[in-house]
Amino acid sequence: MLRTLVTRLVSSVAVFLLIAVGLFALVRLAPGDPIEMMVPPEIGGADREAYTAAVRERFGLDQPVVVQFWRWLGGLMTGDLGYSYTNGQPVGELLADRLGPTALLMGSALLIGLIIAVPAGVIAAVRQNSIADYTISSVSVIAISVPSFFLGMLAIYFFAVKLQVLPSSGMHGTGRDDLGDLLLHMVMPVGLLALANAASFIRYVRSGVLEELGKDYVRTIIAKGGTPSRALRHALRNSLLSLVTVLAMTIPITLSGAVVLEQIFAWPGMGQLAIYALTNRDYPILIGFGLYIALLVLVCNLIADLSYSIIDPRVRTAR
C-alpha cells in the first residue's frame, strides 16, 4: 500500500507540473491582449501607450516569455498563483474565497446523488426487466440527456417566477444569513446537480450489481441456504469498485456542471469567477482555476486507486 501511494504521488506531481506548463503555454498563445482591455477608453494617444507600458511592467509582461514562465513557475512552487489583471488581488485568495460555496454545492450534490442512485440502481438490478427497472432506467436517461442549463431555466421559471416558493439566485437573501435561508437557496442548484449525478450513478450501480448477481459465488451462497439479502450484500460490495471509478471521474464533471449552474443561479463560487475571468481575459485567474481542476482530478484518482485496495482485498493481494 505504501509503495503504491508513493508511486502514485510521484506520478501525480509530474502530471500536475506538465498540466501547469501546458496551461501557461495555452494562455500565452491565446489571441488578443488582456492589457488593452484594462486601459480606460478615455485615455488615448501617447498617454495610452504610457499607461499600457506601466501596466505591462507592473505584471511583468514586459519581460521575455521564458523569463515570465520561470518567474511564474517559481511562484507556483511556493503557492503564489500571481495577481488578477482586473483588480490586482492575489489569485490564490480570490479562488480560496470562492472555494467554499463551490465545495458546498458539489459536495451536497454528490452526496444526494449517491443516496438516490444506490437504492434505485439496486432496485433496478434486482427487479430486472420489470416496470420499476424500465421506469428508473428511463428517468435516468432523460436526466442525462437534458442539458443542465435548460433545466435550470425551467426550474427558475416554475419555482421562482410562477410559484414563488424558492429564491432564484445567490446564497442568501437580502439582510438574511441564517441556515434556513441558505438551504432554500440551495434547493434548485443542488437538486439539479444531484439529479444529473444520480442519473449517471444509477446506470453503473445497476450494471455492476447485475454482473455480480450472475457470478458463481452468489449462486453458492443461495445453494448453501443463504438468504437473498445476504447474497445481495456481497454483490453490492463487490460492485462498488465500478462505482468508485465512476465517482472519481464524476467529480470533475460535476465541477463543470457547477460552473454552468453557478452562472444561472448567481451562486458565488469558482465557476462564476472563471466565467468572469474568461469574459475579461483575466488569464492568471483562468490558469489558477485550471490548476484547481487538475489538482482535483489527480487527488480524486489517487483516492479512488487507494480505495480499490480497501474495498476489494484481491486488488491489495495483486499489488
Side-chain angles (χ1 to χ4, degrees):
M1 176 72 78
L2 180 60
R3 181 179 179 182
T4 301
L5 177 61
V6 173
T7 303
R8 290 296 184 183
L9 282 174
V10 172
S11 61
S12 296
V13 170
V15 171
F16 182 78
L17 289 176
L18 288 175
I19 293 174
V21 173
L23 286 173
F24 183 89
L26 286 175
V27 165
R28 288 299 180 268
L29 293 174
D33 188 357
I35 303 302
E36 290 294 334
M37 298 186 64
M38 300 171 57
V39 182
E42 62 271 12
I43 299 179
D47 292 337
R48 186 179 184 87
E49 294 180 2
Y51 187 93
T52 303
V55 174
R56 290 185 187 280
E57 183 179 359
R58 175 188 174 190
F59 290 104
L61 298 178
D62 58 333
Q63 301 294 324
V65 176
V66 176
V67 175
Q68 294 180 38
F69 170 73
W70 286 112
R71 183 179 296 174
W72 172 79
L73 187 62
L76 180 63
M77 294 296 101
T78 60
D80 182 9
L81 298 175
Y83 294 86
S84 168
Y85 288 163
T86 54
N87 55 32
Q89 296 183 15
V91 173
E93 293 182 6
L94 290 173
L95 291 172
D97 291 340
R98 302 295 188 106
L99 180 61
T102 298
L104 177 63
L105 182 64
M106 289 179 54
S108 302
L110 285 170
L111 180 60
I112 295 173
L114 284 172
I115 292 174
I116 296 173
V118 172
V122 171
I123 292 172
V126 173
R127 301 182 181 180
Q128 186 183 13
N129 298 327
S130 66
I131 296 178
D133 181 22
Y134 292 141
T135 302
I136 292 172
S137 299
S138 299
V139 171
S140 64
V141 170
I142 293 173
I144 292 174
S145 303
V146 181
S148 58
F149 70 87
F150 180 73
L151 290 177
M153 290 186 291
L154 280 181
I156 290 175
Y157 177 75
F158 282 109
F159 296 110
V161 178
K162 284 293 185 181
L163 301 178
Q164 297 184 359
V165 293
L166 292 173
S168 61
S169 62
M171 287 183 66
H172 295 283
T174 304
R176 297 191 60 181
D177 195 19
D178 55 280
L179 179 59
D181 184 56
L182 173 61
L183 293 176
L184 279 177
H185 282 80
M186 289 175 61
V187 171
M188 284 197 287
V190 171
L192 292 176
L193 203 56
L195 179 63
N197 289 334
S200 176
F201 295 153
I202 284 172
R203 297 185 304 157
Y204 289 97
V205 173
R206 178 184 180 276
S207 61
V209 172
L210 276 177
E211 182 182 356
E212 293 297 325
L213 288 176
K215 291 186 176 180
D216 292 338
Y217 74 87
V218 174
R219 288 191 288 268
T220 302
I221 292 174
I222 300 298
K224 289 186 174 181
T227 60
S229 60
R230 181 184 177 188
L232 180 61
R233 285 199 303 270
H234 286 279
L236 180 59
R237 177 172 180 176
N238 290 332
S239 67
L240 286 179
L241 280 178
S242 60
L243 183 60
V244 169
T245 303
V246 174
L247 182 61
M249 295 187 300
T250 302
I251 291 178
I253 298 174
T254 303
L255 179 57
S256 66
V259 170
V260 177
L261 291 178
E262 284 180 5
Q263 195 69 13
I264 293 174
F265 292 100
W267 189 266
M270 292 175 61
Q272 193 181 52
L273 180 64
I275 297 297
Y276 166 82
L278 184 62
T279 305
N280 293 277
R281 294 182 181 176
D282 200 331
Y283 294 146
I285 293 180
L286 288 177
I287 293 178
F289 181 69
L291 291 176
Y292 266 63
I293 295 177
L295 183 62
L296 178 65
V297 172
L298 292 172
V299 170
C300 290
N301 288 336
L302 178 62
I303 294 175
D305 193 57
L306 296 177
S307 299
Y308 296 153
S309 301
I310 298 174
I311 296 173
D312 192 344
R314 293 172 298 179
V315 177
R316 185 165 59 247
T317 303
R319 291 177 177 176

